[in-house]
């Protein structure tokens, strides 16, 4: 048995690690600006304090720190193993603008360490709120009330109702069965998962009655057990209605500003005309969100709030967005013009082909891109289609290119994440030009790290021979051909983003 210091949160095994673009400062600022809420654009900020609550093993916080040398970053988590891992990554990457604190958020707000924190401009809590108990949520609210500056941004993600109501029965069964069948949390999660699957196969009504439950059960085997344990074995796992989260956060004088999943901010794309007519009957933003959540299948919400939201005049909002400079992060040939919507796909206007073609030649401001579309300029929509779909970034530093700082971080993360048997797994590269993370495959991270160290493009066959010293010619040729394909597909993107 482990000591019970977690307040019901799983503490006996490590969580998986990941990078989530919805925590990126530029995504959060765009969510606000699209909805006409005043924020200082982070891509224009020399100095900024970014605070991550429940930062886990610190990848996201380290990416923000690595990509923005003038900023200060603080990550807080109560798992000592996670904090030790996060500090190791920061040290290996030589980051001098990040601090990781081991602290329990249920009591941290009243501590001397909290009082000594610089006021945060942006705070995020990804995957925390609906996984922890009331005392932790209350502690987060008290911390934000005192340490997030007026006008500062807070991002909170959480399992959302009513979409997750179908999963309540699965989580309950997985946890209760697992606890009775095994000891350590990951083993409990595995045992609980097997009971859920067996019951589903035996026709258990509540595991088969909705598409969302069937879909989760079909994916259970693909989820690593440490993930399953941190997701479902917590005592206080509790999906929430938006109104309840917004009301709790209003005690810190936080106002709802929009969704970090940028497409969600375009009600005309998210709802059918009939649904929208009902949505539009209400002025109350809580009711509007309730209508949306009732109509679409949004299992995880990414709410963006501001401490004291101020409305911008349209002209002022457009002036900020117009000067945002955009860099393309994908091959123009493979740009996705179809937006994934809850009720299928919406294809963006033809005008975007000309905009993407211009971006393939180099960064452009939204003001420069707008007339290329042939239709009326809507800067918010352009930001959503380009940046919100993770196919482009806002440029923070036009002059940033390959640098020792960028290389040292990307090489440190690659040492941790890349293995020769997982070359297609997701990871991230810190991009100084964009001031944010570039989600990548591990094969890409391996190559970018290699180019950074050697200062030149590798010969795939020589690199494959270095990586597979004991293997035969066939294995080396297979690896060399994979690496050569990644270079062919990604070189232009690496050049645009300043990795080479
Ligand atoms: C589901 S994980 C999400 C981690 C990370 N944000 C991510 O998305 O990968 C929740 C995190 O909250 C942390 N946590 C839970 N209760 C906490 C508390 N009372 N104080 C500080 N951190 C806590 C856990 O240790 C864990 O790292």
């Amino acid at each position: 048995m482990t000591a019970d210091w977690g307040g019901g949160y799983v503490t006996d095994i490590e969580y998986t690690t990941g990078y989530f673009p919805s925590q990126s400062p530029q995504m959060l600022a765009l969510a606000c600006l699209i909805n006409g809420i005043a924020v200082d654009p982070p891509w224009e900020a020399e100095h900024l304090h970014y605070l991550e609550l429940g930062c886990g093993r610190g990848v996201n916080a380290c990416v923000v720190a690595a990509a923005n040398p003038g900023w200060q970053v603080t990550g807080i988590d109560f798992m000592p193993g996670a904090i030790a891992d996060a500090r190791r990554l920061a040290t290996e990457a030589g980051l001098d603008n990040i601090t990781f604190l081991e602290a329990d958020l249920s009591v941290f707000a009243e501590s001397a360490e909290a009082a000594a924190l610089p006021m945060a401009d942006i705070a995020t809590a990804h995957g925390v709120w609906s996984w922890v108990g009331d005392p932790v949520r209350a502690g987060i609210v008290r911390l934000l009330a005192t340490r997030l500056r007026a006008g500062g941004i807070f991002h909170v993600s959480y399992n959302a109702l009513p979409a997750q109501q179908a999963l309540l029965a699965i989580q309950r069964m997985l946890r209760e069965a697992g606890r009775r069948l095994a000891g350590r949390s990951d083993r409990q999660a595995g045992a609980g998962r097997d009971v859920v699957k067996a019951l589903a196969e035996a026709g258990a009504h509540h595991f088969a009655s909705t598409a969302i439950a069937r879909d989760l059960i079909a994916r259970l085997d693909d989820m690593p057990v440490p993930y399953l344990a941190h997701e479902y074995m917590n005592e206080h796992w509790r999906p929430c209605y938006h109104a309840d989260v917004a009301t709790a956060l209003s005690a810190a004088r936080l106002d709802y500003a929009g969704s970090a999943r940028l497409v969600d901010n375009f009600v005309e794309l998210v709802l059918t005309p009939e649904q929208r007519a009902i949505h539009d009957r209400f002025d109350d933003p809580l009711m509007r969100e309730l209508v949306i959540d009732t109509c679409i299948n949004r299992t995880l919400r990414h709410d963006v709030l501001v401490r004291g939201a101020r409305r911008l005049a349209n002209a002022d909002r457009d002036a900020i967005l117009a000067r945002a400079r955009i860099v393309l992060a994908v091959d123009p040939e493979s740009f996705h013009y179809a937006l994934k919507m809850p009720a299928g796909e919406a294809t963006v206007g033809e005008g975007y082909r000309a905009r993407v073609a211009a971006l393939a030649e180099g960064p452009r401001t939204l003001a420069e891109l707008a007339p290329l579309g042939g239709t009326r300029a809507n800067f918010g929509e352009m930001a959503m289609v380009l940046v919100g779909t993770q196919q482009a970034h806002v440029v923070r530093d036009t002059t940033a290119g390959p640098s020792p700082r960028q290389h040292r971080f990307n090489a440190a993360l690659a040492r941790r994440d890349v293995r020769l048997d997982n070359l297609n797994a997701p990871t991230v590269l810190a991009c100084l030009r964009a001031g944010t993370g570039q989600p990548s495959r591990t094969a890409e991270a391996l190559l970018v790290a290699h180019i950074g160290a050697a200062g030149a493009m590798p010969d795939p066959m020589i690199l494959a021979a270095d990586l597979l010293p004991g293997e035969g010619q066939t294995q080396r040729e297979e690896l060399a051909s994979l690496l050569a394909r990644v270079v062919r597909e990604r070189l232009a993107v690496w050049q645009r983003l300043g990795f080479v």
Side-chain angles (χ1 to χ4, degrees):
M1 275 319 252
T2 46
D4 184 20
W5 53 266
Y9 190 88
V10 164
T11 54
D12 58 346
I13 52 150
E14 282 212 328
Y15 189 52
T16 50
T17 147
Y19 173 77
F20 305 95
S22 50
Q23 288 183 282
S24 152
Q26 55 179 257
M27 209 65 99
L28 305 180
L30 287 175
C32 297
L33 290 169
I34 284 171
N35 290 297
I37 304 293
V39 285
D40 300 324
W43 49 87
E44 295 177 359
E46 286 295 323
H47 306 290
L48 190 155
H49 180 211
Y50 180 94
L51 172 64
E52 184 172 353
L53 310 178
C55 63
R57 295 163 68 187
V59 172
N60 173 67
C62 282
V63 167
V64 175
N68 298 283
W71 296 8
Q72 188 59 41
V73 176
T74 306
I76 301 178
D77 203 285
F78 78 162
M79 296 247 304
I83 289 295
D85 231 25
R87 285 183 182 147
R88 194 173 315 126
L89 177 61
T91 304
E92 271 188 43
L95 298 178
D96 57 2
N97 58 337
I98 191 162
T99 309
F100 285 106
L101 302 175
E102 180 193 334
D104 184 338
L105 287 164
S106 61
V107 292
F108 179 69
E110 289 69 37
S111 68
E113 272 176 313
L117 276 184
M119 293 298 274
D121 301 280
I122 299 179
T124 74
H126 177 59
V128 180
W129 189 267
S130 55
W131 289 259
V132 296
D134 285 335
V136 188
R137 298 180 195 193
I140 290 174
V141 175
R142 294 196 307 279
L143 182 65
L144 294 170
T146 50
R147 302 321 297 166
L148 180 65
R149 74 162 165 82
I153 301 175
F154 179 51
H155 160 258
V156 60
S157 70
Y158 53 95
N159 286 321
L161 288 172
Q164 291 249 355
Q165 66 185 340
L167 307 187
L168 288 169
I170 295 177
Q171 186 270 339
R172 189 61 173 241
M173 179 59 69
L174 195 150
R175 180 163 191 270
E176 297 295 338
R179 291 176 66 212
R180 283 165 179 80
L181 293 173
R184 218 173 58 190
S185 322
D186 52 343
R187 300 203 177 110
Q188 292 182 353
R193 171 200 58 202
D194 293 344
V195 171
V196 167
K197 278 170 40 200
L199 278 167
E201 276 162 30
H205 171 78
H206 290 287
F207 293 172
S209 56
T210 63
I212 187 168
R214 290 193 298 274
D215 174 62
L216 174 65
I217 290 168
R219 290 185 295 113
L220 280 178
D221 275 337
D222 300 334
M223 299 178 184
V225 272
Y227 170 82
L228 269 185
H230 280 260
E231 180 65 36
Y232 293 121
M233 295 306 294
N234 295 312
E235 185 181 338
H236 302 289
W237 186 87
R238 193 172 79 199
C240 309
Y241 280 101
H242 163 76
D244 297 339
V245 179
T247 303
L249 290 170
S250 68
R253 301 186 190 155
L254 282 155
D255 302 315
Y256 181 64
S259 170
R261 195 170 162 265
L262 297 189
V263 69
D264 288 357
N265 299 301
F266 293 79
V267 180
E268 64 280 17
L269 295 176
V270 175
L271 298 183
T272 65
E274 296 77 14
Q275 292 166 345
R276 192 164 173 206
I278 302 168
H279 168 274
D280 290 351
R281 278 192 219 162
F282 298 98
D283 288 330
D284 180 350
L286 297 183
M287 264 314 293
R288 288 184 158 214
E289 290 303 308
L290 182 59
V291 172
I292 297 175
D293 280 336
T294 304
C295 292
I296 71 173
N297 202 2
R298 179 156 55 174
T299 51
L300 185 72
R301 283 191 59 114
H302 278 287
D303 290 357
V304 184
L305 302 99
V306 171
R307 276 199 77 233
R310 291 164 297 132
R311 295 217 72 81
L312 277 172
N314 284 349
D316 294 337
R317 184 265 305 271
D318 285 352
I320 295 173
L321 287 173
R323 59 177 191 264
R325 191 169 291 281
I326 306 295
V327 59
L328 193 62
V330 294
D331 167 19
E333 300 301 317
S334 56
F335 191 93
H336 285 285
Y337 293 92
L339 303 173
K340 282 200 178 54
M341 309 300 304
E345 288 190 336
T347 302
V348 300
E350 268 303 302
Y352 279 95
R353 293 192 186 273
R355 292 178 180 135
V356 171
L359 285 170
E361 288 166 15
R364 298 278 190 279
T365 62
L366 286 177
E368 289 164 343
L369 292 173
L372 304 179
T375 47
R376 200 170 64 86
N378 178 337
F379 295 121
E381 182 205 272
M382 281 194 287
M384 179 272 284
V385 170
L386 298 168
V387 182
T389 59
Q390 296 164 34
Q391 301 184 90
H393 303 291
V394 183
V395 174
R396 196 190 59 80
D397 178 356
T398 38
T399 60
S403 69
R405 179 188 185 87
Q406 182 170 274
H407 166 62
R408 194 165 166 192
F409 175 77
N410 289 332
L413 191 61
R415 272 196 298 282
R416 213 187 73 167
D417 275 6
V418 181
R419 292 192 321 272
L420 289 176
D421 64 353
N422 78 349
L423 289 177
N424 202 27
T427 182
V428 61
L429 293 164
C431 175
L432 268 113
R433 187 166 291 174
T436 192
Q438 165 66 21
S440 307
R441 297 280 149 194
T442 40
E444 190 175 354
L446 172 79
L447 283 158
V448 168
H450 189 86
I451 296 164
M457 192 59 63
D459 175 326
M461 200 56 216
I462 297 177
L463 181 53
D466 278 356
L467 294 169
L468 295 174
E471 300 289 339
Q473 186 67 6
T474 317
Q475 282 89 339
R476 290 179 181 184
E477 279 173 6
E478 273 174 18
L479 179 59
S481 111
L482 182 145
L483 296 174
R485 180 168 52 76
V486 175
V487 172
R488 259 194 324 277
E489 288 174 359
R490 302 296 292 168
L491 180 58
V493 171
W494 298 342
Q495 286 165 339
R496 277 197 293 275
L497 295 178
F499 292 130
V500 295

